[in-house]
Amino acid sequence: MAEQTVSPMMQQYFEIKKQHPNEILFYRVGDFYEMFYDDALTASRELELTLTGKSCGKEERAPMCGVPFHSYETYVARLIAKGYKVAICEQMEDPSQAKGLVKRDIIRVVTPGTVIESSMLSEDKNNYLCSVYCKRTRGRWRAGICFADISTGEAYATELNAEKIGAAIITELCRYMPSEILICPPMLDFKDVTAYVKQHTNALVELREDACYKDSVMQTAMTDQFGENWRETLHYEADALVPYAVAAMINYLHETQKHGVERIRTVQNYADAQYMRLSPVTRANLELTETMRGREKKGTLLWVLDKTETSMGKRLLRSWIEQPLVDAEAINRRLGAVQALYTSTMARAELKEALNHVFDIERLTTRILYGSATPREVKALGDTCAMLPQIKAQAAGCSAPLLTALAEQIDPLEDILQGIATAIVDDPPASLKDGGAIRAGYNAEVDELRDIMHGGKGYLSNLEARYREETGIPKLKIGFNKVFGYYIEVSRSYADSVPDSFTRKQTLTTGERYITPELKELENKILGANERLLALEHQLFVDLLNQISAQIVRIQRTASAVAQLDVLASFAEAALQNNYVLPTVDTGDVFEIKEGRHPVIEKMLKNGLFVPNDTLLDEDENRMLLITGPNMAGKSTYMRQNALIALMAQIGSFVPAASAHIGVVDAIFTRVGASDDLAAGQSTFMVEMTEVAEILRSAGKDSLVILDEIGRGTSTFDGMSIARAVVEYICENIGCKTLFATHYHELTSMDKDLHGVKNYNIAVKKRGEDITFLRRIVAGPADDSYGIEVAKLAGLPGSVTRRAHTVLRQLEAAAPGRDNVMQLDFETVEAYNNPSVPSEVMDKLHSVDIETLTPLEALNFLYELKTALDKD
């Protein structure tokens, strides 16, 4: 069969698709976005769409599927969630006005990190795009990393100079959890980072070429975005790497968004030292914003503390929980604000009531800037502006310095409110396409055109009545359709009464349709008015959007202040509802909790009260609490609650306790629970040892470390030896505050050997072979392990537990020194494991320069060492 000529429309499609080979192309055709070939195959599979075909001048029909343009966001959201990018190709002119082929062009590429549509975003979570640039200088890796939420205009960046740069990058990724990551080519060599992203996030990774990071490219992007003096404005040193990361992000946004990139007006630089260090493992173990199993909000610290009224507040609360402060002064400013709102019941209630009427002005402003806001969304911004004076007054009325400062940051935005109230009707339509959004009296021409339209319909009624009277045809009527416009319809029985001035236009089975010059003139007037009115309303609306966009800095500053007030009020409300207290936070080393409670578990308990416990830690006598006791008695809960209380205090929240004195903790490290990492080929014990190793490398004297059952994944003596060595290392080399739970009762003697170790246990009440957990932490070591009793509580058959008791008594009777707690001679063991090395060998090792050895020289050197040892 001869090949047909490819249609002009498909030629246009091929040209546009060639520019976007890696995206699914949504190609606008009339009321649909169509997809062809591989895009159609992918979309039909992922979206469960019916696959059809289109003749494209080739022997085989092109696979094709489509989605309605008015509901395309739903389909795009599903593709984005599956990791695809979508290029939106729009008709750039009205098809009815186009001469020949309708012009089309890409208006935007939607990617996971560049979504701005509210239907695709979670209102309580930021959607971050990340950019990472790393470079090796003077034999050491450094990195610049930037995070931006395009939907709100926020941008944050920091320089990373850690010894283990991969781990530092992972920490930052974990802090912000971006949905898309731009990386430079050298990042491909950081296998730990790529493994983390692949296994623990759903982020789309985009590899940018080396050319994106050239000095000239960076300079141009930063100057265009932030001005000639961007280094001074953003406080970047000459050798900083962050500008390269920021520039790569800005250029990527220009490629994908086409416009609206000016939403990012500044970049907030932060230092790693500003926030508490929380490893990915710690965040997961403490279940800060999602549970470990269900990945849901309920059962997390976020769930307990979220009493916010606005979407902006919900996002900021999550951010504060993810990034606890380490500056005692900043923490106490927040606590002072919460205390003021806590005690001012009426002010707090009125503030929360006002906040309840605040819309998401951060994301509304972005949609306004992009020109995609609807009349209802603009009206929502106006409604929010109307609440700002009340919010400002309530904040200013409290004496706390932070509340006063936030009140000053709130701009009432009267001009924006006035502009919206004057231009937009009280109940605007959902879409601008049908008109009716512009208020009467706002524009004289709009009013005139509406009069013509409404008057025109009145003219039609009058004309119809006149024609009936003049012709004597009682059922003559004037109608309208899109083919002929306005027409006069007369039934066949009155055909002879039609005057000669009527021109026949159409014959029907029931009658005839006519037009007159007078009717045609009236039609042109009415239809022209309607078309002109729609165009004028659209232009006036666009002008209003531009006026609002020009005030974006004021709006953004106000939105930030309102969000902070919302979170502070949320803390005060949570404190009141949950019986929390104001903690004392300072730079000392004391960590003292009286009657502390687990904030989440006490809320989850349906029956019974949570049993509170005290804690005393410092960097001297009480550096490490060695906690023993049976499983299920509450050791893990106790340790976690202390970590959560420290974190709550340092985000500015009241805490679940009778009293709390928190010396600022710079990091929290946890090793709790057991889990295999089968994907990485690691057993439970290997995972545990890897995590412990990371803690020992990273913890400092101001850190809080929580270790639960270290060494249980191997033989008893191996595990016990590792556990003891870890305790000794922490006490002697780090000196940080530590909670260490163990089943190795032999370790309880370490309080005599190591300064700062204290024994505590979970109290248990025993009646024969039955036990009751009292959930109380008391001084001293546990008197037994109660393993069999716990097994009985867990439902093991009675015959099994009775047999276990018999076996246990036999083993205890046969054990040497059964009347004494078994003690190990650790000095003897150490001497056995670490025999003295001949001085000749040590001298050779100290003198060799490993960096300059060839493989053959290294082999000869090893032979010399072996010979020296054999001689000894």
Side-chain angles (χ1 to χ4, degrees), residues 560-574:
S560 174
V562 169
Q564 291 180 65
L565 286 172
D566 193 14
V567 177
L568 295 169
S570 176
F571 285 164
E573 191 69 24

Side-chain angles (χ1 to χ4, degrees), residues 435-591:
I438 301 300
R439 187 184 292 277
Y442 180 69
N443 181 275
E445 189 178 353
V446 167
D447 295 343
E448 182 183 348
L449 291 168
R450 283 177 179 163
D451 285 342
I452 290 174
M453 287 182 60
H454 298 148
K457 290 174 182 176
Y459 295 146
L460 288 170
S461 299
N462 293 334
L463 186 61
E464 184 180 75
R466 180 158 60 83
Y467 281 163
R468 284 178 180 176
E469 185 178 345
E470 290 176 354
T471 62
I473 303 173
K475 293 188 177 180
L476 178 150
K477 65 179 181 180
I478 294 177
F480 175 84
N481 66 30
K482 291 184 178 180
V483 178
F484 297 113
Y486 286 102
Y487 57 82
I488 302 164
E489 187 167 321
V490 178
S491 64
R492 284 190 179 279
S493 57
Y494 289 96
D496 294 339
S497 303
V498 175
D500 294 338
S501 60
F502 283 27
T503 304
R504 182 186 287 110
K505 196 70 177 175
Q506 186 181 19
T507 300
L508 305 175
T509 56
T510 57
E512 302 285 345
R513 286 179 176 174
Y514 303 87
I515 61 170
T516 67
E518 185 180 15
L519 181 60
K520 207 64 186 171
E521 184 181 343
L522 187 57
E523 174 189 303
N524 292 336
K525 190 175 182 182
I526 294 171
L527 295 183
N530 184 48
E531 194 173 304
R532 171 64 184 148
L533 178 61
L534 289 175
L536 183 57
E537 280 207 46
H538 182 272
Q539 186 56 53
L540 291 171
F541 187 72
V542 169
D543 291 344
L544 179 62
L545 296 187
N546 291 335
Q547 291 169 25
I548 296 171
S549 298
Q551 306 304 319
I552 192 169
V553 174
R554 293 168 60 204
I555 299 172
Q556 200 161 352
R557 183 169 58 245
T558 299
S560 174
V562 169
Q564 291 180 65
L565 286 172
D566 193 14
V567 177
L568 295 169
S570 176
F571 285 164
E573 191 69 24
L576 187 71
Q577 292 183 16
N578 301 327
N579 191 28
Y580 294 167
V581 299
L582 173 67
T584 299
V585 179
D586 56 29
T587 56
D589 66 354
V590 174
F591 183 95

Side-chain angles (χ1 to χ4, degrees), residues 79-131:
L79 290 172
I80 293 299
K82 293 174 181 287
Y84 295 99
K85 295 181 180 181
V86 178
I88 308 295
C89 180
E90 193 54 80
Q91 295 175 165
M92 306 307 289
E93 56 183 342
D94 186 341
S96 64
Q97 305 294 321
K99 295 180 180 179
L101 183 64
V102 176
K103 292 179 182 177
R104 293 180 175 86
D105 200 1
I106 299 295
I107 60 167
R108 188 164 159 241
V109 177
V110 186
T111 72
T114 62
V115 174
I116 60 168
E117 291 79 3
S118 56
S119 62
M120 300 188 204
L121 294 168
S122 172
E123 68 167 7
D124 65 344
K125 188 185 298 184
N126 283 101
N127 184 53
Y128 287 112
L129 170 67
C130 172
S131 177

Side-chain angles (χ1 to χ4, degrees), residues 592-663:
E592 185 171 16
I593 310 292
K594 295 290 187 183
E595 297 183 20
R597 314 184 305 275
H598 193 295
V600 180
I601 292 179
E602 74 167 350
K603 294 286 288 183
M604 299 287 280
L605 286 175
K606 294 181 180 177
N607 301 310
L609 295 174
F610 187 90
V611 178
N613 278 296
D614 298 346
T615 304
L616 176 60
L617 285 164
D618 54 39
E619 294 175 9
D620 188 27
E621 294 289 336
N622 301 280
R623 278 183 296 185
M624 178 176 291
L625 306 190
L626 206 60
I627 306 165
T628 48
N631 284 321
M632 296 174 58
K635 297 192 300 297
S636 295
T637 297
Y638 170 72
M639 293 193 296
R640 281 189 175 104
Q641 82 185 33
N642 282 293
L644 287 172
I645 288 172
L647 187 143
M648 288 173 70
Q650 291 185 217
I651 65 175
S653 168
F654 282 24
V655 298
S659 67
H661 182 178
I662 309 293

Side-chain angles (χ1 to χ4, degrees), residues 175-385:
R175 196 192 301 278
Y176 288 94
M177 291 304 291
S179 58
E180 185 173 3
I181 307 170
L182 311 178
I183 64 171
C184 59
M187 278 296 300
L188 295 174
D189 295 330
F190 289 83
K191 302 301 182 185
D192 52 344
V193 178
T194 53
Y196 170 78
V197 171
K198 185 176 181 180
Q199 295 173 24
H200 300 287
T201 77
N202 294 317
L204 176 69
V205 177
E206 178 80 12
L207 177 64
R208 306 296 284 166
E209 297 177 352
D210 282 324
C212 298
Y213 302 96
K214 287 183 177 179
D215 289 345
S216 58
V217 174
M218 181 273 288
Q219 288 283 0
T220 300
M222 296 299 284
T223 301
D224 291 347
Q225 188 73 17
F226 305 110
E228 289 288 343
N229 299 319
W230 60 267
R231 282 197 184 275
E232 292 75 14
T233 305
L234 300 177
H235 309 292
Y236 289 133
E237 299 294 333
D239 64 341
L241 298 185
V242 163
Y244 294 90
V246 175
M249 177 182 288
I250 295 297
N251 286 330
Y252 181 72
L253 291 175
H254 279 295
E255 290 174 19
T256 59
Q257 304 309 289
K258 311 301 179 185
H259 68 283
V261 184
E262 62 270 23
R263 181 72 170 95
I264 299 176
R265 296 299 181 94
T266 187
V267 178
Q268 183 177 326
N269 295 293
Y270 69 94
D272 187 41
Q274 278 182 257
Y275 303 114
M276 182 190 290
R277 284 178 294 147
L278 296 168
S279 68
V281 173
T282 300
R283 293 174 190 273
N285 283 335
L286 295 182
E287 297 184 306
L288 300 179
T289 58
E290 61 180 28
T291 58
M292 291 181 72
R293 290 177 177 81
R295 299 272 178 182
E296 56 187 1
K297 180 179 175 181
K298 185 176 181 181
T300 66
L301 181 63
L302 176 63
W303 170 69
V304 172
L305 293 180
D306 189 2
K307 310 295 178 187
T308 55
E309 304 290 342
T310 71
S311 300
M312 300 178 295
K314 291 182 187 301
R315 292 194 294 271
L316 185 62
L317 172 59
R318 180 184 291 270
S319 174
W320 281 13
I321 290 174
E322 294 278 14
Q323 302 183 98
L325 302 174
V326 294
D327 182 341
E329 184 178 345
I331 293 167
N332 282 303
R333 275 169 60 84
R334 286 186 187 175
L335 288 171
V338 176
Q339 172 76 352
L341 291 168
Y342 179 84
T343 55
S344 304
T345 306
M346 287 298 294
R348 184 181 71 254
E350 291 181 14
L351 175 61
K352 289 184 74 65
E353 172 60 25
L355 288 168
N356 189 41
H357 298 283
V358 169
F359 291 87
D360 193 346
I361 53 179
E362 285 180 333
R363 286 180 172 168
L364 282 179
T365 307
T366 297
R367 291 178 63 77
I368 288 171
L369 185 67
Y370 273 76
S372 59
T374 66
R376 285 184 185 172
E377 288 175 329
V378 174
K379 180 65 165 56
L381 176 60
D383 292 343
T384 295
C385 292

